[in-house]
Amino acid sequence: MKVDDINKTIVKESEMSNEEEKEEEADNSKLKYIIMILGCLLMFGNNYSFDNPQALQKQLTKDLDISISNYNLLYSAFSFPNIFLTLIGGLIIDFLGVRFGIILFSAIVVVAQTIVALGGAFKIFWIMLVGRIIFGCASENLVIAQAAIIGKWFRGKELSTAIGYIMTVPELASAANSFITPMLYDSYEGLTYPLFFSVILCIFSFICAVVLCILDKKNEINKLKGQFIIEEQEEEDEIEEKEQKDEIERVSFKDIKNLNGTFWILVMICTLTLGSYTPFLDDANDFLQEKFAFTTLQAGKVLTIPYLMAAITSPFFGPYIDKVGQRRKFILITCILFTVTHFAFGIMPNGQHGQPNWYSIIPLMLLGSNYALYSCVLIPSIQYIVAEKVVGTAFGLLGMFESVALAFFPIIAGYIVEISDDPELGYSNVGFFFSGISLFAILFTLSLYFFDKKGSMVLDFINPEDPSELEKKMLRTTKSESSSEEDEDESSDEDSDDDDQFKKIKACKSYGSLKKNTQIFASPLFRTRSLYY
């Protein structure tokens, strides 16, 4: 065979392999977008059902004959169990697998919403409360599972983009709830139809969850088959080394214990930020009616605004943040905007004589945009700070803290309204209350710059998992500066100790008296110095 023929054969084989790689990349890209769509629909029924009480606030208090504090229990009961159970859910996801978690928690959401619907149909408040407790146990853990599966497929510089798109459909579900649920109540004159419509949507999301897990499982099997073919060609010692590495990569409680300070600061920021968003919207229907003089149907329609704004803006925020990095700056902007938005709710004039204050739409638009920015910046930041193998547990810990806020803040807000002589004044004070919470989030964000600069600097990189050469140089410079400062402090301490020791030695009049002073003579510091004198 001629040399030219051999070269042509090699070129053809390389071209064929390149074409196969391109086809494989295209297939993977299509599969990723299918996973993204299913990940969105996974939370559709959950988000629609979560805010059923908010869309029916006046109707629930009337039909069930309950106070606003009892109404707020429907949200507090949702969050109380998660103070402990989100950590368990995170551990389940890390140890038993994210697919197992998605199927389990999606199924429980269907069962829980069915119990809520039965309680509403028979107008028995405690049954609804039990259903909300079970719903809360599964819902928050389903959010953790969703974040874990999306992080698995899009981890890296695409993560904020993926989160931005994934937020769109669930937020549209929340907007649909605010719009459709009051209409169903008015059309059928009762709680039965609007609540059981939510059950149907939860079943739809469960089906999407099953399909998502099947595709993820198939993709994993295909990858394992490819690895098996490669491993057959490797030497035995290389295979053993790989197995040992896989053994090391398994999650352990030591990894959980070693979560760094940056993670805990981000947890506090997420807790305070989400705590100023979700609990506020829990009472927003009554807020709009009492303070800004909207009717029941008007309030339901107006409340679609924050959800729609979050759905519209998040696909733009996510890609932009992935492009420029600077996540600490965007976290600070998020907290400042939340503070300003709630302060605006507090100081805005009330609606008068049946004329709604339509200017209240402006802070509602800001509120939705703020939440989109929160989701596109803070949620990916948590995943960048922790190892992939403990991401479920990390989100479980985050869920614990957030659940404390989501459990107690609605109760505090309801109490602020009830102790006020005028509901309008009470809701103004609620706005100031949530503005103060956001102000504390600003303080924690500033600590990322002043007290945790070295640990949190990686958040400003475009891709924290694959920094550029310039970013690596910046990181090394910061670490060397901090280490040199520590060395200077240690050396200054040692020098001062040395001076004290030598002053004691000079004070001794003779070698004999020095020998009697066994404490100084036995000192390792003295022995080291004696080698040079």
Side-chain angles (χ1 to χ4, degrees):
M1 193 174 184
K2 295 181 180 179
V3 175
D4 292 339
D5 294 334
I6 295 172
N7 290 334
K8 287 178 181 179
T9 304
I10 293 170
V11 169
K12 285 182 180 179
E13 288 178 353
S14 63
E15 287 177 353
M16 288 175 64
S17 62
N18 289 332
E19 288 177 1
E20 288 175 356
E21 286 178 2
K22 287 179 181 178
E23 288 178 2
E24 187 177 350
E25 287 178 2
D27 292 339
N28 288 335
S29 180
K30 290 178 183 177
L31 185 58
K32 283 173 73 173
Y33 286 109
I34 293 171
I35 293 292
M36 182 187 290
I37 293 168
L38 291 171
C40 295
L41 297 175
L42 168 69
M43 298 300 298
F44 190 92
N46 177 84
N47 279 44
Y48 186 97
S49 302
F50 170 75
D51 273 329
N52 273 168
Q54 174 253 90
L56 298 169
Q57 185 170 4
K58 285 288 186 183
Q59 296 89 329
L60 283 169
T61 53
K62 178 185 173 183
D63 290 3
L64 302 178
D65 192 23
I66 56 176
S67 66
I68 190 169
S69 294
N70 286 333
Y71 160 80
N72 278 330
L73 282 177
L74 292 172
Y75 283 101
S76 296
F78 176 94
S79 301
F80 268 124
N82 291 315
I83 296 173
F84 306 102
L85 292 179
T86 49
L87 177 59
I88 296 173
L91 290 170
I92 288 172
I93 291 167
D94 281 336
F95 283 97
L96 299 180
V98 66
R99 290 188 296 271
F100 178 84
I102 287 173
I103 298 294
L104 174 66
F105 300 132
S106 297
I108 295 175
V109 163
V110 174
V111 174
Q113 185 59 25
T114 304
I115 295 171
V116 172
L118 289 171
F122 292 104
K123 297 183 180 179
I124 302 174
F125 178 68
W126 69 265
I127 292 180
M128 289 190 72
L129 206 59
V130 170
R132 290 290 288 183
I133 291 171
I134 300 171
F135 187 92
C137 295
S139 175
E140 290 299 307
N141 286 309
L142 185 59
V143 172
I144 295 170
Q146 184 203 37
I149 193 76
I150 294 304
K152 175 182 175 182
W153 280 83
F154 293 91
R155 195 173 178 94
K157 63 180 181 179
E158 299 176 314
L159 189 54
S160 291
T161 303
I163 295 290
Y165 284 114
I166 279 197
M167 269 192 63
T168 303
V169 172
E171 290 303 306
L172 289 175
S174 297
N177 166 68
S178 297
F179 188 82
I180 296 171
T181 302
M183 293 176 62
L184 288 174
Y185 180 90
D186 287 345
S187 298
Y188 296 98
E189 297 181 353
L191 297 168
T192 304
Y193 281 93
L195 293 178
F196 273 100
F197 181 70
S198 300
V199 175
I200 294 170
L201 293 179
C202 289
I203 293 171
F204 167 73
S205 290
F206 174 73
I207 294 169
C208 293
V210 173
V211 175
L212 170 63
C213 292
I214 290 171
L215 292 177
D216 184 67
K217 179 68 175 177
K218 283 185 176 180
N219 182 69
E220 195 170 286
I221 290 171
N222 290 335
K223 283 184 177 180
L224 288 173
K225 284 180 180 178
Q227 288 178 0
F228 181 74
I229 293 170
I230 294 170
E231 285 177 359
E232 281 186 333
Q233 300 172 358
E234 292 178 347
E235 297 291 335
E236 291 183 2
D237 56 342
E238 291 179 353
I239 295 173
E240 289 177 4
E241 184 180 347
K242 190 174 186 297
E243 288 175 351
Q244 289 174 1
K245 186 179 178 182
D246 291 339
E247 187 72 24
I248 293 169
E249 287 297 315
R250 291 177 184 173
V251 65
S252 67
F253 285 100
K254 186 178 179 182
D255 298 312
I256 301 166
K257 183 181 176 182
N258 291 335
L259 291 170
N260 59 20
T262 308
F263 167 77
W264 293 110
I265 293 173
L266 290 175
V267 164
M268 294 308 300
I269 297 169
C270 289
T271 300
L272 295 170
T273 307
L274 188 66
S276 66
Y277 175 77
T278 304
F280 176 82
L281 287 179
D282 293 346
D283 288 321
N285 197 300
D286 200 48
F287 188 107
L288 293 175
Q289 294 178 55
E290 293 291 342
K291 181 171 172 62
F292 298 126
F294 288 97
T295 65
T296 304
L297 286 176
Q298 284 175 336
K301 292 176 181 178
V302 169
L303 271 178
T304 62
I305 291 172
Y307 302 117
L308 289 174
M309 285 302 298
I312 292 168
T313 56
S314 59
F316 296 97
F317 287 150
Y320 182 73
I321 292 165
D322 277 336
K323 183 179 179 181
V324 302
Q326 301 297 320
R327 290 171 185 83
R328 288 185 298 181
K329 181 176 71 176
F330 285 110
I331 293 171
L332 182 60
I333 291 171
T334 303
C335 298
I336 291 172
L337 288 176
F338 268 113
T339 305
V340 172
T341 301
H342 286 295
F343 188 76
F345 278 122
I347 64 172
M348 287 190 77
N350 304 326
Q352 294 181 358
H353 308 297
Q355 293 296 322
N357 182 357
W358 291 99
Y359 290 106
S360 59
I361 290 174
I362 297 172
L364 283 173
M365 294 173 68
L366 278 173
L367 192 67
S369 302
N370 298 348
Y371 180 67
L373 195 55
Y374 155 83
S375 299
C376 293
V377 176
L378 279 159
I379 301 303
S381 294
I382 292 286
Q383 298 199 48
Y384 288 135
I385 290 298
V386 302
E388 185 176 0
K389 59 183 175 179
V390 293
V391 69
T393 305
F395 275 109
L397 290 167
L398 172 62
M400 286 178 61
F401 283 84
E402 288 182 337
S403 296
V404 173
L406 299 182
F408 287 102
F409 288 177
I411 296 174
I412 296 170
Y415 181 72
I416 290 172
V417 174
E418 287 185 348
I419 63 173
S420 302
D421 297 331
D422 184 3
E424 294 178 358
L425 176 62
Y427 277 117
S428 294
N429 292 333
V430 167
F432 297 135
F433 167 68
F434 285 114
S435 181
I437 290 171
S438 303
L439 189 61
F440 278 104
I442 293 175
L443 298 178
F444 277 103
T445 306
L446 292 174
S447 71
L448 291 174
Y449 285 96
F450 295 103
F451 302 108
D452 189 45
K453 184 178 179 181
K454 182 176 70 172
S456 64
M457 178 182 283
V458 69
L459 295 176
D460 288 344
F461 299 165
I462 293 174
N463 182 3
E465 295 184 346
D466 186 20
S468 64
E469 291 301 322
L470 180 61
E471 290 170 342
K472 288 178 182 177
K473 186 177 179 181
M474 290 169 57
L475 195 60
R476 285 195 298 269
T477 303
T478 306
K479 286 183 177 180
S480 62
E481 287 176 357
S482 61
S483 61
S484 63
E485 288 175 2
E486 291 174 2
D487 292 340
E488 286 177 5
D489 292 338
E490 289 177 1
S491 62
S492 63
D493 292 339
E494 288 179 1
D495 290 340
S496 61
D497 291 340
D498 292 350
D499 292 339
D500 292 338
Q501 292 282 11
F502 278 101
K503 284 179 182 178
K504 291 179 182 178
I505 294 170
K506 284 185 178 181
C508 299
K509 293 182 179 179
S510 63
Y511 178 79
S513 61
L514 180 63
K515 192 174 181 180
K516 289 179 182 178
N517 193 345
T518 55
Q519 185 177 2
I520 300 173
F521 193 77
S523 170
L525 199 60
F526 174 80
R527 290 200 300 271
T528 305
R529 285 285 191 174
S530 65
L531 295 174
Y532 297 95
Y533 289 89

